[in-house]
């Protein structure tokens, strides 16, 4: 128990790389957790003064207000192209994108795949909440078969809408990426593992090793119409059946 | 050197150190020239996966403080429009070359001027403006590419050089300007360079509060007014005693220079006004000339786009006929002279 408390303290102390601005996420949303983990990582690696966050269009659009580092807002889906432009002209910066599933795996599919395929030395944090949060809960490319959303009110029908995209596995087919992993946040153990994965992905970039992707299975209590606790058990019992956790690429 | 290569070299000499593009005829030589030459001066080059990716790479590189360019031709420029709106909304400088071709749709690869509306009246969404420069010769193209980078930085706006397939593909003897040393250009304190010893810099076009967006848009509009006051450029040929004037830009202006000589030799007092800044458009000089002449004939390789601006300037002070060729057909001097004669008799 005391060990767990230590862990809790580590993750939830306010990282220096966070500003005092309030998060605009709904209560219980994992977006806030990942935002903190990234800030903590930036602290640990001592890269606050050269980090640049590329924000998506989605619930985390104003992330640049929360990090005490330079930030840029990208057009919906184009974060990896924007990150590419920054990194290529100033390789000393530590450039990361933070993108939802609509942003990264629907409208931005081409930019996301090609940045990975070029092996851009950037870090991509991919928030797979299986839904379009910001626009009010429509179907995402990652929505699991049978899941109800406002644009598939009877549940995702694979006959009409196809199957959820396993983006980490897609990226893992490419030769260039150095680290590709899928993580989740539904319990303390998972949170610690996801924190390690995020740190590792940033380290890859700091060491100049190339492209890394951390896909994180997260919740959307608001649009899933579940309590945060229900959402966690849904992730643990249902979602990971479609999206297995683990490392897909780890080139040392 | 083709016009395309000359524009690419001019960009490098202007201090451009990031170029992102996607192949499309008739502008491929710009991409290819950049692939070969920009890395040699330490610049970034990527053949992007699409024009959308290319313009968004520009958005990132420009935000990082580097002189940045992309180029394409009409269909590819359509794809860049969202990105151009974002550049404008985030106050980022960027140079975009459009080596325009026939349209709409896939159209063809012949020279055309059907992208005037798109370039000067918006194209992308929202209340924004883009400086648009229209070169008529390769020498002008070089000069205007250099100018484009200066204006983009000075006003923090995207600037388009609106060229066409004729200028892009032809060859002319040229003089290249002395290269600019990018390290000596004015600093960009707003750029993303890492928040070291300063507050974080943020580049965004997102302002959820209508009051904030209203304020920011209004400030940007006042910058646009400064551009309208300070940056209008045009060239007059033989206008002082003219009774009829042609208004033409780009490749058509070049052809019209020949028409002026031909008409004068036949006793027709023909003059020419070539708008060089298509936005901001030279309304005032045209308005001034309109009370001196009977007729202002607009000639374009389009169904009539710039002519709307000419008519705004002239109102009913003179006749404002239009002559255009469509689909990539280039009017000959004879064609244009015929239209002039039709309008003087
Ligand atoms: C070009 C364009 N198309 C559509 C939108 C509307 N839009 C805003 S956010 C979003 C999807 C957000 O979902 P996701 O990327 O999964 O992020 P989340 O909010 O779930 O974190 C959409 C479609 C937009 N802003 N721009
Ligand atoms: S809408 Fe969903 S994803 Fe967005 S902040 Fe709320 S709970 Fe999180
Ligand atoms: Mg989502």
């Amino acid at each position: 128990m005391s060990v767990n408390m230590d862990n809790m303290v580590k993750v939830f102390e306010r990282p220096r790389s966070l500003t005092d601005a309030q998060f605009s996420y709904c209560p219980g949303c994992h977006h806030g957790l990942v935002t903190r983990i990234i800030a903590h990582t930036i602290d640990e690696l001592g890269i606050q003064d050269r980090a640049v966050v590329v924000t998506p269009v989605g619930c985390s659009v104003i992330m640049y207000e929360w990090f005490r580092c330079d930030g840029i807002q990208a057009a919906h889906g184009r974060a990896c192209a924007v990150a590419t432009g920054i990194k290529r002209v100033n390789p000393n910066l530590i450039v990361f994108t933070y993108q939802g599933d609509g942003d990264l795996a629907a409208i931005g599919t081409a930019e996301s795949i090609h940045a990975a395929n070029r092996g851009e030395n950037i870090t991509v944090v991919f928030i797979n909440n299986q839904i379009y949060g910001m626009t009010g809960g429509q179907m995402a490319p990652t929505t699991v078969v049978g899941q109800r959303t406002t644009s598939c009110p009877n549940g995702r029908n694979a006959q009409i809408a196809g199957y959820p995209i396993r983006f980490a596995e897609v990226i893992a087919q490419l030769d260039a990426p150095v680290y590709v992993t899928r993580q989740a946040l539904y319990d303390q153990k998972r949170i610690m593992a996801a924190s390690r994965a995020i740190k590792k992905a940033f380290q890859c970039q700091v060491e100049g090793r190339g492209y890394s992707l951390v896909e994180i299975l997260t919740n959307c209590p608001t649009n899933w119409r579940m309590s945060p606790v229900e959402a966690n058990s849904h992730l643990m019992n249902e979602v990971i059946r479609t999206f297995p956790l683990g490392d897909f690429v780890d080139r040392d | 050197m083709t016009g395309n290569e000359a524009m690419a070299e001019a960009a490098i000499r202007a201090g451009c150190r990031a170029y992102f593009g996607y192949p499309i005829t008739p502008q491929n030589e710009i991409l290819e020239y950049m692939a070969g030459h920009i890395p040699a001066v330490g610049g970034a080059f990527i053949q992007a996966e699409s024009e959308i990716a290319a313009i968004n790479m520009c958005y990132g590189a420009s935000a990082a403080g580097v002189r940045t360019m992309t180029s394409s031709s009409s269909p590819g420029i359509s794809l860049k429009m969202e990105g151009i709106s974002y550049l404008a909304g985030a106050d980022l400088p960027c140079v975009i070359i459009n080596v325009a071709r026939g349209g709409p749709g896939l159209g063809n690869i012949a020279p055309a001027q059907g992208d005037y509306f798109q370039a000067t009246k918006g194209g992308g969404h929202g209340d924004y403006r883009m400086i648009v420069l229209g070169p008529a010769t390769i020498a002008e193209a070089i000069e205007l590419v250099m100018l484009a980078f200066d204006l983009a930085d000075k006003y923090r706006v995207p600037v388009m050089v609106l060229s066409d397939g004729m200028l892009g593909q032809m060859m002319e003897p040229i003089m290249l300007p002395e290269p600019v040393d990018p390290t000596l250009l004015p600093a960009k304190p707003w750029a993303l360079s890492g928040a070291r010893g300063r507050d974080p810099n943020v580049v965004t076009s997102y302002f959820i509060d209508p009051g904030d967006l209203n304020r920011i848009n209004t400030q940007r509009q006042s910058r646009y007014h400064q551009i309208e006051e300070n940056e209008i450029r045009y060239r007059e040929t033989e206008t002082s005693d003219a009774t009829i004037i042609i208004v033409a830009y780009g490749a058509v202006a070049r052809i019209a220079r020949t028409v002026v000589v031909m008409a004068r030799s036949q006793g027709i007092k023909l003059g020419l006004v070539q708008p060089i800044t298509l936005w901001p458009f030279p309304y005032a000089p045209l308005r001034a000339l309109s009370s001196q002449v009977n007729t202002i004939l607009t000639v374009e390789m389009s169904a009539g786009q710039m002519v709307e601006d000419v008519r705004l300037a002239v109102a009913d002070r003179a006749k404002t006929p239009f002559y255009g060729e469509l689909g990539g057909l280039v009017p000959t001097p004879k064609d244009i002279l015929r239209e002039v004669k039709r309008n003087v008799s």
Side-chain angles (χ1 to χ4, degrees), chain A residues 46-179:
Chain A
I47 53 172
Q48 171 273 332
D49 60 359
R50 55 190 188 118
V52 176
V53 56
V54 183
T55 76
V57 184
C59 287
S60 42
V61 59
I62 58 163
M63 238 185 169
Y64 49 74
E65 292 189 3
W66 306 325
F67 288 119
R68 229 181 270 283
C69 67
D70 283 0
I72 180 167
Q73 202 292 310
H76 192 28
R78 318 302 172 202
C80 283
V82 173
T84 297
I86 300 168
K87 188 73 183 185
R88 288 288 183 116
V89 300
N90 191 347
N92 184 49
L93 296 174
I94 302 300
V95 185
F96 68 102
T97 72
Y98 181 103
Q99 301 174 257
D101 35 20
D103 195 88
L104 180 132
I107 193 167
T109 307
E111 288 78 7
S112 304
I113 288 180
H114 285 278
N117 194 45
R118 286 189 303 267
E120 297 296 340
N121 188 25
I122 59 173
T123 305
V124 176
V125 180
F126 170 30
I127 302 298
N128 176 354
N129 60 4
Q130 305 104 58
I131 205 149
Y132 282 24
M134 191 193 206
T135 40
Q138 298 81 10
M139 184 179 71
T142 44
T143 295
V144 298
V145 172
Q147 181 186 343
R148 290 171 198 270
T149 73
T150 58
S151 57
C152 52
N154 299 321
R156 182 177 190 149
N157 175 349
Q159 244 49 58
I160 299 169
Y163 294 85
I165 289 181
R166 286 184 275 268
F167 212 80
E169 286 88 331
V170 171
I171 294 299
Q173 299 308 305
L174 307 172
D175 292 337
V178 293
Y179 181 50

Side-chain angles (χ1 to χ4, degrees), chain B residues 239-260:
Chain B
T239 52
S240 54
D241 66 338
T243 54
I244 175 166
I245 280 174
I246 292 176
V247 184
Y249 73 96
V252 181
R254 178 197 185 90
I255 299 164
R257 287 178 199 171
T258 309
V259 180
V260 171

Side-chain angles (χ1 to χ4, degrees), chain A residues 171-250:
Chain A
I171 294 299
Q173 299 308 305
L174 307 172
D175 292 337
V178 293
Y179 181 50
V180 179
T181 186
R182 181 180 293 114
Q183 304 287 328
L185 303 169
Y186 52 73
D187 64 24
Q188 187 58 25
K189 213 173 107 218
R190 290 288 159 212
I191 292 173
M192 297 313 291
S195 305
R196 282 193 297 274
I198 287 173
K199 185 170 177 186
K200 180 168 174 167
F202 275 84
Q203 261 165 338
C204 286
Q205 185 180 169
V206 170
E207 291 162 13
R209 295 177 48 218
Y211 173 95
S212 52
L213 170 80
V214 183
E215 173 172 341
I216 307 175
L217 302 179
T218 61
N219 65 4
C220 175
T222 301
N223 291 300
W224 290 3
R225 303 184 204 296
M226 289 182 196
S227 72
V229 174
E230 287 166 344
N232 276 349
S233 52
H234 173 72
L235 279 165
M236 187 165 63
N237 300 322
E238 301 295 331
V239 177
I240 60 166
R241 296 218 295 242
T242 301
F243 295 108
L245 303 180
D247 292 348
F248 301 99
V249 175
D250 189 359

